[in-house]
Structures are given as C-alpha cells and as structure tokens.
Amino acid sequence: MCCWNSSSGVKTAHPSLRSAPPAGAVSSGIWLSTLPLSNIKDRRLSRLARSTNATLANTIINLDLGSAKTVGAVALITHNLSASALVRVRGDDAADFATPLYDSGWLNAWPSGVIPQALLEWEDDNFWLGTVSSEAIAGYQSPYINLINSRPVLRYWRIEINDTSNPSGYVQVGRVFIGDTWTTTHNPSYGAGLGTEDSTGIESSMGGEEYFDISKRYRVHRFSLNALTPTEAYTRVIDMQKLAGVSGELLIIPDANDVYNGFRRNFLCRMRSLSPVVDTAYGIKSVDFEVKEIF
C-alpha cells in the first residue's frame, strides 16, 4: 500500500495518491446475499455491497488487513451516503475494538457549512445543513475520505455508518480503500491541471447530422513534482510505480483543505503512464504524473 501527500513542509495536504482496497478479510453488518460485503474488494466498482436496511447495526464494516500496516487514509468509494450521513472509523490491534487505538469520532460524510445559506432555497434538501446538494453529488464519483495524520500501524479497522434516514432505505459501497500516506517536502509545480475527458463516440451522416454513442466522462489530473529529494524519488516514486504500475488503483486529493470542492477534485484513479525520475539539479529530482479516473 502506498500514498502520496504533497505539502510545503507542513500538514497542508495537496495532491495525494493512495492505493489498494483491503486484501484481508471483511465482515460484520448485514448485507444482501446478491450484493455481499465481499464486493468491496472487487476491482469493478459496479460490484456494490448493499446493506439489507439502513440501521446502524447493519451498516458496519470490519476490516482485517492480515497483519499490522501503516494506515494514513480510509475511504469509501462509490457510496450512496445521504447529505446527513455520519461516518466513524476506528483502528485497533485487537479484533474486538474494546479499547481502540484510533477513533475518528462521528464525522459528516458530506462537509457541513460549505455552501452559504444565502445561496440555498428554503425547499432545498440541504438548507439547514449547508451541505453539497444531492443533485451536485450525483454527477461525481465522490469518495468519503478520512485522513489519519498519526498514521497508526494497526491490523484491525472498523467503519460505522449512521445514515438511518437514507432515502434509499439502505447503504451501499463500491469499495473500501485503505492505505499509507506520503507527504513530500515541496508542493507540485505550478501548471498542474484538472480536466474532464469524454469517451463518447461521434459519427456523422452524409447530411452532416451527428450521432453519439454516449459513454463515460472521466476526470484527468496532470502535475509535476520538480523538487524531490533523492530519497523521495527512489523510495517513494519508484516504489509506487513498481507497486501500482498503470493498473494499480490510487486515490488523488489535490487539496485536502479545499472542503467546498473536494467532491469535485478527489477521485479514484490509476497512472496513465510511468514517467522516469529525472535529475533536475544536484540533489534534486523531478517526475511527471498523469492520472485517470477509474469507474
């Protein structure tokens, strides 16, 4: 597992890369036999895990990583959590979580107060919360991300979801993503870009009419790290390229402090290509990244 967090020497997170769904055992809660909890380990995000209902007892996820591992982030990918949902993440060295060594407490699945009420209408479903609207959420694959600055080394993890009023009557998750974090010494260089690409096929008739084979629109993020130390370049970048390649899954967070736009900017991805580490100057290395959203 690996993760990348860039910052200017302090804990102001910028682009972050995190990898791997849990490889160990998953359990707890009550999930449909046709959409079992084991689906959170399936690479295909369409293979969802869905609880039988939205009660607290039925929406618990226990993770056994097989051995103690450093964890800096836990995320829920392709979920249906409502605007009022709460999530709690705990970690321990014992499977019973009797005295957890990490406890996030109950946190909002969608940040509150990010939209001024002056911009909301009385009838909006999120008027009192100031959260992102359900219409805005629907257009993005927006992960719930719990960043853990202390990066504990633990084997057992528990995710609890409090979304009893979910309008669907259940909770579903496509993937649980858990991994370590890496904070670079310097931020990415200016010129980083986030865009959307459309794989829709277009054909034209002899008369000039256009026909569209509607397909996915996915996000692409490009950035460069031009002030890496040799240790970062070789023990982080090269190792991450070797581990993930172009097929391994990563999670990108361009700015962890951007609460308002996080659901637009954070997404599950893979590296499109593996760029070489370049000697920029004495003791300074650089590398380019281009990552593509995974569905």
Side-chain angles (χ1 to χ4, degrees):
M1 298 181 183
C2 62
C3 174
W4 171 58
N5 238 348
S6 98
S7 74
S8 52
V10 293
K11 294 295 183 181
T12 52
H14 282 271
S16 305
L17 299 177
R18 301 180 167 78
S19 75
V26 296
S27 62
S28 202
I30 302 179
W31 308 81
L32 296 177
S33 59
T34 52
L35 296 171
L37 185 58
S38 59
N39 280 353
I40 66 171
K41 303 194 327 180
D42 195 296
R43 182 180 177 88
R44 296 163 291 180
L45 296 183
S46 60
R47 296 287 297 272
L48 300 165
R50 179 179 296 174
S51 63
T52 55
N53 57 48
T55 60
L56 285 170
N58 289 2
T59 55
I60 296 173
I61 301 173
N62 285 340
L63 308 173
D64 178 357
L65 303 184
S67 61
K69 293 180 173 62
T70 303
V71 173
V74 178
L76 302 176
I77 311 295
T78 319
H79 59 75
N80 73 329
L81 301 186
S82 69
S84 60
L86 300 173
V87 180
R88 183 185 187 186
V89 176
R90 288 188 281 174
D92 204 353
D93 56 5
D96 59 4
F97 296 93
T99 55
L101 298 176
Y102 171 79
D103 190 341
S104 69
W106 288 103
L107 302 174
N108 292 316
W110 299 100
S112 61
V114 298
I115 303 178
Q117 287 196 342
L119 301 181
L120 296 171
E121 299 295 336
W122 175 265
E123 62 272 16
D124 288 343
D125 60 0
N126 59 332
F127 178 82
W128 293 107
L129 298 174
T131 57
V132 179
S133 69
S134 56
E135 290 81 6
I137 291 169
Y140 294 89
Q141 175 188 272
S142 306
Y144 167 78
I145 303 171
N146 182 284
L147 293 174
I148 306 172
N149 292 330
S150 59
R151 299 173 58 238
V153 182
L154 300 172
R155 172 175 175 175
Y156 301 100
W157 291 86
R158 173 173 290 173
I159 303 169
E160 298 168 88
I161 299 169
N162 185 346
D163 198 12
T164 56
S165 59
N166 190 301
S168 298
Y170 55 79
V171 165
Q172 66 182 26
V173 179
R175 177 68 52 78
V176 170
F177 191 93
I178 185 167
D180 190 13
T181 55
W182 163 38
T183 301
T184 60
T185 304
H186 301 285
N187 285 333
S189 301
Y190 284 109
L194 172 66
T196 300
E197 296 185 7
D198 193 338
S199 56
T200 294
I202 305 174
E203 293 186 4
S204 299
S205 67
M206 293 293 291
E209 296 175 318
E210 292 184 321
Y211 300 90
F212 302 92
D213 183 11
I214 305 298
S215 187
K216 294 283 189 181
R217 300 178 186 91
Y218 50 86
R219 288 167 283 184
V220 175
H221 190 53
R222 301 177 180 90
F223 55 94
S224 298
L225 299 176
N226 291 326
L228 290 170
T229 66
T231 299
E232 291 174 312
Y234 297 126
T235 66
R236 291 295 191 173
V237 175
I238 295 298
D239 283 355
M240 184 168 64
Q241 290 181 345
K242 191 70 173 178
L243 174 67
V246 296
S247 62
E249 297 171 353
L250 306 168
L251 183 63
I252 186 165
I253 306 172
D255 186 348
N257 292 323
D258 187 357
V259 178
Y260 180 76
N261 289 304
F263 78 98
R264 298 179 176 94
R265 303 176 69 186
N266 309 333
F267 56 92
L268 189 70
C269 62
R270 67 173 181 84
M271 290 183 282
R272 265 187 163 171
S273 60
L274 306 181
S275 299
V277 170
V278 176
D279 292 322
T280 304
Y282 178 76
I284 300 176
K285 312 293 181 181
S286 65
V287 67
D288 297 324
F289 282 93
E290 180 176 339
V291 296
K292 172 186 176 295
E293 185 173 12
I294 293 174
F295 288 94

